[in-house]
Amino acid sequence: MIAAQDERREARASKYMHWAKTSSRARFNLATSGLANVKLQELQVSLADLEISGETGYGYPPLLSLIAERFGVDSACVVTAAGTSFANHLALAALINPGDEILLESPAYEPLLALARYLGAQVKRFQRKFENGWRVSPDEIERNLSPRTRLIVITNFHNPSGVLTDDDTLKEVGELATKRNARVLVDEVYLQMLFAEPPCTAFHLGNQFVVTGSLTKAFGLSGLRCGWILAEPELARRMWLLNDLFAATPVHAGERLSVVALKQLPAIAELAQGRLDKHRQLLNQFLDGRDDLEAIRPQFGSIMFPRVKQGNSERLCDLLREKYETSVVPGEFFEQPAHFRVGMGGDSITFVEGLDRLGQALDELR
Ligand SMILES: Cc1ncc(COP(=O)(O)O)c(C=O)c1O
């Protein structure tokens, strides 16, 4: 009990977010996981789109309709939130009570782990193993389920590895959850990088699925904080009511700008996809030439999570930063110190130079 309380107190902050905000920047930044930020001038915006006052209720109807239309769901299933971060917070807060057991993937996006602990969940883990291509294994999940499990939590694509979990696997996970009267929360912030129309989502796989997402990573629109939760209507309603205790009312100009951005999404997506395809090819070529790294190489997305064959990535990350002005995310933030995460969503000059410097640092450590 004391340990659980300590864990909860510790979880009032995220070590990873603190590092990302204070220490991840570098001249050649390969530590970001999304597309480089779009500027307001790149969107076609009128002054009326910046209107700060509007009707306050449970969601801005034009925004709810656009998100609902995008995913082919009823507006009653959509809850808007400030980014996937707050969508996750609201979803978890609505889905679990203190003391409930949840099953979270490992390695995991640390803020999700901290959030679950902060909300008082008993967090159990299931492993996604490098040797198994970081895949979600329904058998591994089943082994770790207990009669007290209320929720299974997965990121898709997986952060940090970038690996996609397919619908068949998710359906199996959904069946396991249903047998236990539990739900499945899928954080789909990276799944938007499939750039499919209509976009893929686990929401259609059954009522037990709750999904979260945002325009942040795939479209470089983090600044809008346009996030959403898709949940069955009764649950969505509970989330709206709970939100009255949290954010209560969103920034109206943000809602309006999100509508503008959603209407311009195809053009933004085309540029983003082109950049990621090109950078992924460059990263694959880079990895082909390195016998000191091994990596699972996803076909999609903006991140990879290579392993330094000779053990710990800490020296590499320090050397990169200090001598080569380049940053990647140390694997310790994902409970995998032999690995490091490379992001490929930045501009091409930064990415190419950053990769070159990564190569030089690795050579120096041989
Ligand atoms: C899995 C995952 N979920 C959520 C977020 C945060 O998304 P947002 O910026 O939309 O809040 C991140 C950011 O790194 C992430 O990796």
Side-chain angles (χ1 to χ4, degrees):
M1 193 61 192
I2 302 266
Q5 277 173 4
D6 284 351
E7 226 173 40
R8 202 169 171 187
R9 213 169 292 123
E10 269 258 299
R12 284 185 189 168
S14 158
K15 286 190 181 119
Y16 169 70
M17 283 304 279
H18 184 68
W19 175 85
K21 287 180 173 176
T22 60
S23 310
S24 72
R25 277 185 215 119
R27 187 159 161 223
F28 303 99
N29 188 345
L30 308 185
T32 55
S33 58
L35 265 288
N37 288 331
V38 168
K39 292 269 189 278
L40 182 63
Q41 66 193 31
E42 294 169 63
L43 297 176
Q44 286 147 37
V45 174
S46 72
L47 204 55
D49 296 322
L50 299 173
E51 179 53 59
I52 60 170
S53 302
E55 240 177 72
T56 51
Y58 291 105
Y60 178 48
L63 180 57
L64 292 178
S65 301
L66 276 176
I67 295 173
E69 202 179 293
R70 182 170 160 72
F71 290 100
V73 305
D74 195 283
S75 292
C77 301
V78 181
V79 180
T80 53
T84 309
S85 303
F86 200 69
N88 284 337
H89 189 131
L90 197 48
L92 274 180
L95 287 166
I96 55 171
N97 292 311
D100 280 353
E101 197 170 287
I102 77 164
L103 193 50
L104 172 68
E105 65 190 9
S106 173
Y109 175 57
E110 184 262 356
L112 261 179
L113 175 62
L115 171 63
R117 287 183 173 150
Y118 168 71
L119 291 170
Q122 300 276 333
V123 186
K124 280 181 68 179
R125 315 296 299 278
F126 69 92
Q127 298 302 315
R128 300 180 65 154
K129 296 198 179 84
F130 176 68
E131 296 71 20
N132 191 27
W134 300 115
R135 270 189 286 278
V136 167
S137 151
D139 289 345
E140 165 75 5
I141 291 185
E142 190 166 23
R143 264 197 301 282
N144 287 286
L145 283 170
S146 89
R148 294 174 48 232
T149 312
R150 293 276 58 82
L151 187 68
I152 300 166
V153 184
I154 294 171
T155 55
N156 199 19
F157 317 142
H158 180 216
N159 187 5
S161 72
V163 165
L164 168 77
T165 302
D166 61 36
D167 277 1
D168 287 343
T169 307
L170 286 167
K171 270 187 217 154
E172 278 187 63
V173 176
E175 280 158 23
L176 292 172
T178 303
K179 274 194 221 152
R180 296 277 192 311
N181 206 18
R183 297 207 190 238
V184 187
L185 174 66
V186 188
D187 174 329
E188 297 184 339
V189 71
Y190 295 100
L191 196 65
Q192 313 308 307
M193 288 183 195
L194 283 178
F195 301 110
E197 284 302 332
C200 303
T201 170
F203 181 68
H204 297 297
L205 300 180
N207 275 352
Q208 70 277 52
F209 284 91
V210 175
V211 309
T212 55
S214 65
L215 298 183
T216 300
K217 302 284 170 188
F219 308 102
L221 291 167
S222 173
L224 290 178
R225 312 310 298 138
C226 177
W228 58 80
I229 305 160
L230 306 181
E232 59 167 315
E234 178 46 32
L235 186 54
R237 206 181 79 83
R238 270 172 40 209
M239 290 179 191
W240 278 122
L241 296 179
L242 186 56
N243 189 49
D244 283 334
L245 309 188
F246 293 137
T249 306
V251 177
H252 187 59
E255 294 178 309
R256 283 190 175 250
L257 282 172
S258 298
V259 166
V260 169
L262 276 162
K263 289 185 178 157
Q264 295 174 32
L265 223 46
I268 300 172
E270 200 180 317
L271 289 176
Q273 187 166 21
R275 174 182 289 180
L276 289 180
D277 288 349
K278 182 171 138 200
H279 290 186
R280 198 174 313 102
Q281 207 179 344
L282 290 172
L283 183 51
N284 278 324
Q285 280 165 8
F286 173 84
L287 291 168
D288 286 345
R290 304 282 347 165
D291 59 7
D292 44 4
L293 295 179
E294 47 194 350
I296 304 300
R297 305 192 200 180
Q299 265 182 285
F300 311 101
S302 59
I303 47 177
M304 285 196 206
F305 198 45
R307 173 154 79 183
V308 181
K309 277 194 193 160
Q310 295 308 320
N312 199 296
S313 74
E314 196 182 333
R315 273 178 65 216
L316 171 66
C317 296
D318 289 348
L319 180 67
L320 256 181
R321 159 168 297 288
E322 281 154 26
K323 182 164 172 192
Y324 293 99
E325 298 175 279
T326 301
S327 62
V328 293
V329 184
E332 63 174 87
F333 286 115
F334 300 99
E335 313 155 283
Q336 298 284 331
H339 292 255
F340 61 95
R341 198 192 69 189
V342 184
M344 48 190 135
D347 68 80
S348 294
I349 294 174
T350 304
F351 184 67
V352 169
E353 183 63 29
L355 269 193
D356 187 59
R357 285 167 183 243
L358 176 58
Q360 290 179 49
L362 281 162
D363 288 344
E364 192 172 329
L365 289 175
R366 268 186 201 280

